[in-house]
């Protein structure tokens, strides 16, 4: 499916960093879902470069809803959103010198030199603006079903953020945070590391933690379309994500079954688990607990420091100091992208499970015992 | 797609732990690929319980190729393999008491009590035998293209195996290893931990590392169908895998761009990178270096120790000591499953990229500059 | 997708005419749907050769449900049905002489000679037995929602059957008919033509008409996944079908809009149309009227008469008189196959629209205004 | 998949008749395919209303290529084309009175009144402009492989056009024809019928015949993804098409096997058939002969004559005389739409069979014996 993801609800991406527009088409969302330009703008603002922590490329992120919305609500037919590219400086890029850890060489082997290489072309993080704009429709749609989600920077250069404590409060907070951490002191230390890297012409990586609250039990499939499989499939297309884990993740390697297993108990007449090492998913299927997952984010490959590389057209070794305007870290701006992609997967799974009217029917009519 | 994975080459799984057969249908593989029952048996042997390190459930893993193979070669039409279930003891299972960290409760919420719960039913690790049998066709097919792969236990209870050094030699070794580690001393220590857990009625988790050698550059898609996305989608359906990372993975969180970036250099007239922190994938696309990824494996949830749980039919708290016959660790037996699933993804991607005759044409006719 | 059809509910076919088994895997049907071996056997009986009107190949159509059914009901996981091939005579076939209007030459160009050519291999009408067996699950499932369907021979060698008059009565009748026509006198004339063709070593074609009763309005998609598109996609894979039309079909060519349009009127407080030239579908979507479509069926290509052909291995012209055991007409036996394929499409569309529990919830809970 | 069609090459449609833009996203076409704005404009011109035979709605069909094309060639990433809607008169439409044989009522049952009903919304034939614009890329791409195709009006109000005689000459002629018939005298008679219908406030239906020349043998699948299945799936989404047949189609009903079978003979060292009753497809797979198919096209439902109908909001019977600006026949303008949709299916099948570089490699490197 390449640039399209999803079955019952699907999203198709198009556009290049330096083309006229980037955009996305969202198909399959229930008819009758309210669409607010403010919500879309709000998500785009979360992703927008806003300080020295981010790239200097100014993006106004004006957008236009081209189809699929009528009288402020989804029609049930494809929604296309366009975002014009404004602040492009193609002269910053040349062709043939592979930027290390970027897709330049891999793209050349795939597209044989026909790729639009300017600004990373279709590989550019710029394309995620279209994902985030759609998140401005999908996240509020989920909220009408009582499903909320959010992402914080959990780790950066040795600084570890607090974990989620109170899902509803933390998620509400993260939606508004300009630097999404749960412990502000830790956040300040992370910022210092990012600014220090910027000053050195370098960049830093990190990790994020996401939480989904309010998802009904019974979603996902035992084989292949497990919740973990669907989420990871979609999330790994976000540039820079190189690892995904659910619940205790790689910490399981040191655990015993008697420590790792989440014992079931009863509360308010319903089963729950006190620990959540499985991150809310058993056998690929949601078990009613919060879904918790982490993403490993590599340092922005574009750095000002001189690097060794090759020119893959001339097959000569050379060096490179990337000019352009780049983020010293993407872990801040990646959070709303993760949220939007997660929302896409959930809307897809919910629609597949409960049918194409799920968002206007509401879960109480859909979920049966 | 649920129980089917893949586009150009797809695999459909069916069967339950205590049904008559489990099996799989493989579709889209080139016509003319040699199929050897010995190779299939060999892969099944790698997965079979073989000592006190594994479950006591004896599985002969007899199999029958039902369709799609004629005169020892694939016909190009669907290949169905059946594996009869022989050694089943349904009396070991009852219904309603949720086994912690198993899918019992999630399955109940999804299937409303109609699921075949005996032995975990369709969720059972037993179903992976069908995946591994197909691996016995897919892995040799890849080998004819010069693509080899393998998996070792990289981490278990604090013991860390050596990393891959010499891809070809290590991969050849792992295909034959009964306990797949690269450093045998470390392996012995892991075994002691597994046997100790068994003695306690407990289980242990771990992590694996996989390597793909010989894959051409230029495979995968920038959005959604990235190599990382496709591999993780398929791999997360293996029960027990709770995390996947590529290259440096979660170690990126502590790195700077100048450390993380893989500098390009020339060797034998071709670009290569001396480090491989990106695990052979840039922008979702293979870059010609070895693909390297790790999987986090949780401890087997079935343990003999008494655990707290609930009966989700009566909604009462209760306890549970799992009898049955179970693996004190699945990290040994999961390695051939990871290999087979990885092979499926690669065959799918190669066929999508180079067309449906790729395995009989060979890569030299397919890959153009 | 090749040998798999369907999104929310999908069916995968495997097997060859002279292999050990043919079979199918059905995935995505609601958990809790009753499965009756009698119903499956009944559908297989409708398709079975039963007189001189059909092939002399005796097929007992024993079948085995391998997975996905537990305590007489679907589990919600994949259902595999196996049908052993018993009465095979491979000696009747040789390779290289293209049987005219069969797939022999096309298959050779596709599979390069690796195809299992015995008895038509995977192209054989034999494979439809697996479709019909699944129809024995799907048709009763639809009936529980109040949706019934059926097919009669509408045209054969100039003899035209009566049209549907009373949907419910006609459909009940066709389920039991050994020669599915609505006017028995016309049916006798058709039979005479078939027997005459048989006596001459020849065969005859025909056309069928199908009706779906009780389908809710609002199913299907405006673009690509129109009801017409989905039904035709699936139906054209039945060997011998070379045309499909909905409602007035090719008769529209001679009509004016004022004649063709189906005027809306009110009955019992609900809109309906007195004419049904659109065959119950407007803009690709069901409009609440009966769905009506016709299939053109070509004469069985296998005839005893000598025919001119080529040997595509030696590239020489030659002749051929097909021995084997073949149907002088397939229009009788094709009717249950059309019913089963139609049922598959409807179950897929209903599940996509109303969610994966639609068959146990019932339509009254699913369809909202 | 709803508004997306295709696997290896896929097309996603969006937009409504009276929205800001309609458009399409094309994904999966080889990198390096030349894109000519003149070719796109030329296809749009074929579809544009041009005389009293068509609607009076003036459409300039300006278009913008938004992505996926760089330096005049495809990049291999998604191509988005936008077409602004200019000449819209929303006041011509009201809501609730079902236009007979239009999708109004069916859409209401599907989208619950949230649909954009203005000008037919997403159901409008206007959306086909985006398909035809993409045809301006796909048809020339096929031509570089030696594959040409075209469509003529074969039947209208009792007037029957000549059949294809000389494929290459006829196809070249049809690409330029303003009224696509092979016999100009018959064409004049058809035009008279169309103008007469217009004068009466009525409309007429018809049938088309399409031919594909130069397609290699061996394309298509035995089950489900037969060439007939794929073509019909895509073609039935064109509004007004209500029947599709291949080769002799419904004429098979009167034929015997000995008449219907296409005998194989040798010419220039290659097998061919003198008759082509199978329309170039056996067992779902191309056999190397020209592909021939026909489409039944219903009369334009929008007519000025007063019609009986209901208001589905008030549930009252009423009448309707459609004002707006409408085509007295769509069989002329449907021909380039059929060509574009056919081109999409062929590009998809060729790319699936020969890989994603097929259009730059050329068939001689791809097709092997």
């Amino acid at each position: 499916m390449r640039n399209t993801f999803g079955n019952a609800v699907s999203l198709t991406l198009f556009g290049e960093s330096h083309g006229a527009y980037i955009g996305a088409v969202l198909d399959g969302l229930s008819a009758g879902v309210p669409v607010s330009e403010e919500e879309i703008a709000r998500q785009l603002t979360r992703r927008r470069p806003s300080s020295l922590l981010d790239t200097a490329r100014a993006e106004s992120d004006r957008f236009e809803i081209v189809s699929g919305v009528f009288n402020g609500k989804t029609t049930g037919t494809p929604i296309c959103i366009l975002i014009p590219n404004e602040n492009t400086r193609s002269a910053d890029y040349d062709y043939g010198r592979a930027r290390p850890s970027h897709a330049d060489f891999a793209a050349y082997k795939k597209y044989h030199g026909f790729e639009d290489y300017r600004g990373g072309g279709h590989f550019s993080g710029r394309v995620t603006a279209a994902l985030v704009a759609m998140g401005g429709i999908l996240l509020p749609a989920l909220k009408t079903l009582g499903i909320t989600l959010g992402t914080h920077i959990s780790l950066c250069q040795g600084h570890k953020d607090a974990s989620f404590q109170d899902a509803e409060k933390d998620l509400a907070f993260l939606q508004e945070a300009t630097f999404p951490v749960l412990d502000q002191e830790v956040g300040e230390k992370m910022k210092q590391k990012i600014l220090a890297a910027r000053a050195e012409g370098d960049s830093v990586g990190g990790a994020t933690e996401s939480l989904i609250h309010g998802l009904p039990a019974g979603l996902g499939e035992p084989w292949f379309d497990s919740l973990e499989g669907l989420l990871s499939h979609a999330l790994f297309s976000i540039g820079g994500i190189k690892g995904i884990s659910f619940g205790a993740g790689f910490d399981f390697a040191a655990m015993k079954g008697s420590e790792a297993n989440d014992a079931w108990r009863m509360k308010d007449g319903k089963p729950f688990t006190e620990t959540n090492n499985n991150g809310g998913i058993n056998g690929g299927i949601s078990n009613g607990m919060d879904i918790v997952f982490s993403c490993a984010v590599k340092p922005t490959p574009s750095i000002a420091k001189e690097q060794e590389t090759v020119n893959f057209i001339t097959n000569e070794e050379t060096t490179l100091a990337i000019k352009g305007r780049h983020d010293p870290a993407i872990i801040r701006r990646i959070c709303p992208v993760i949220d939007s992609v997660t929302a896409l997967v959930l809307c897809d799974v919910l629609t597949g499970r409960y049918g194409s009217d799920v968002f206007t029917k509401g879960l109480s009519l859909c979920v049966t015992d």
Side-chain angles (χ1 to χ4, degrees), chain A residues 51-54 151-163 173-174 177-200 202-209 295 297 327-335:
Chain A
S51 73
L52 290 177
L53 298 167
D54 310 312
T151 301
H152 69 113
I153 307 170
S154 56
L155 201 57
C156 178
Q157 290 282 306
H159 299 292
K160 195 175 181 322
D161 192 20
S163 288
F173 171 77
L174 289 175
T178 48
F179 193 81
V181 287
L182 296 173
D183 180 328
Q184 299 312 309
E185 273 181 58
V186 174
E188 286 309 312
K189 289 175 191 158
M190 291 178 181
K191 285 185 197 172
Q192 294 318 312
K193 289 285 171 77
I194 296 171
L195 292 171
R198 179 195 188 88
E200 297 165 25
D202 212 333
S203 65
V204 300
T208 62
E209 187 187 41
C295 297
V297 181
D327 295 272
I330 57 167
I331 40 168
R332 189 193 76 82
R333 298 177 65 205
I334 213 170
C335 292

Side-chain angles (χ1 to χ4, degrees), chain A residues 29-368:
Chain A
L29 196 65
S30 300
V33 173
V35 173
S36 150
E37 303 216 343
E38 286 68 36
E39 288 288 340
I40 296 171
R42 206 161 68 81
Q43 292 302 325
L44 286 169
T45 298
R46 290 179 63 202
R47 183 193 160 280
R48 188 169 310 135
S50 66
S51 73
L52 290 177
L53 298 167
D54 310 312
T55 175
R57 175 173 174 175
E59 294 169 334
S60 78
D61 288 343
R62 285 190 305 116
F63 63 89
E64 184 176 4
I65 303 174
V66 160
S67 66
V69 177
F70 183 52
N71 295 331
K73 290 194 173 143
T74 56
T75 59
T77 56
I79 301 166
C80 177
I81 295 184
L82 289 178
I83 303 180
N85 287 319
E86 291 164 338
N87 197 313
T88 58
R89 286 204 213 153
S90 298
D92 287 343
Y93 297 88
D94 63 345
Y95 188 66
R97 275 200 295 177
R99 292 171 301 158
S101 295
H102 267 292
D104 301 350
F105 177 69
Y108 167 69
K109 298 302 277 185
K110 180 173 175 66
Y111 300 117
H112 308 300
F114 296 110
E115 64 274 14
D116 179 351
Y117 56 82
R118 299 168 303 161
H122 188 57
F123 291 83
S124 170
R126 173 74 184 144
V127 177
T128 61
L131 280 169
V132 169
M134 286 302 180
I137 297 175
L138 298 166
L139 288 160
L142 287 168
K143 209 170 177 181
T144 66
L145 301 186
I147 301 165
T148 51
L149 60 95
T151 301
H152 69 113
I153 307 170
S154 56
L155 201 57
C156 178
Q157 290 282 306
H159 299 292
K160 195 175 181 322
D161 192 20
S163 288
F164 285 98
Q165 296 291 328
D166 178 330
E168 291 183 30
K169 198 171 128 263
D170 292 346
L171 295 177
F173 171 77
L174 289 175
Q175 277 292 316
E176 306 297 335
T178 48
F179 193 81
V181 287
L182 296 173
D183 180 328
Q184 299 312 309
E185 273 181 58
V186 174
E188 286 309 312
K189 289 175 191 158
M190 291 178 181
K191 285 185 197 172
Q192 294 318 312
K193 289 285 171 77
I194 296 171
L195 292 171
R198 179 195 188 88
E200 297 165 25
D202 212 333
S203 65
V204 300
T208 62
E209 187 187 41
S210 302
L211 185 142
I212 306 165
H213 184 67
L215 196 71
L219 295 174
E221 301 291 334
W223 292 99
F224 301 126
D225 285 358
S226 67
L227 271 191
E228 294 112 326
L230 293 173
L231 283 165
S232 65
H233 186 161
L235 288 164
F236 267 122
S237 66
I238 304 174
I241 292 188
K242 295 297 281 188
I244 293 178
S245 68
F246 293 82
F250 282 87
D251 292 344
F252 276 125
M255 294 168 87
K256 293 194 175 171
S258 55
E259 301 163 305
N261 286 356
D262 300 308
W264 287 102
R265 299 280 80 193
M266 295 298 299
K267 184 161 63 181
D268 307 332
K270 281 173 57 183
F272 81 106
T273 65
E274 270 179 4
T275 54
N276 189 11
N277 291 319
N278 283 281
I281 306 174
N282 289 141
I285 299 175
S286 60
N287 67 9
M289 305 305 296
D290 288 339
I291 308 290
V292 183
F293 61 89
S294 292
C295 297
V297 181
K298 74 176 184 185
T300 325
S302 295
I303 56 176
K305 280 192 173 171
E306 189 175 273
Q307 302 179 78
E308 296 190 318
T309 191
V310 302
N311 182 314
F312 52 76
I313 300 298
T314 61
N315 276 335
E316 290 172 326
E317 298 191 338
T318 178
T319 60
L320 178 71
I322 297 177
K323 305 238 173 62
R325 300 153 298 172
H326 302 287
D327 295 272
I330 57 167
I331 40 168
R332 189 193 76 82
R333 298 177 65 205
I334 213 170
C335 292
V337 184
I338 290 173
D339 289 354
S340 291
V341 170
T342 302
L344 170 63
V345 174
L346 298 183
C347 288
D348 181 23
V349 170
L350 287 159
T351 303
R353 177 79 170 98
Y354 299 122
S356 58
D357 292 338
V358 59
F359 287 98
T360 37
K361 272 185 169 174
L363 284 183
S364 60
L365 268 176
C366 289
V367 181
T368 52

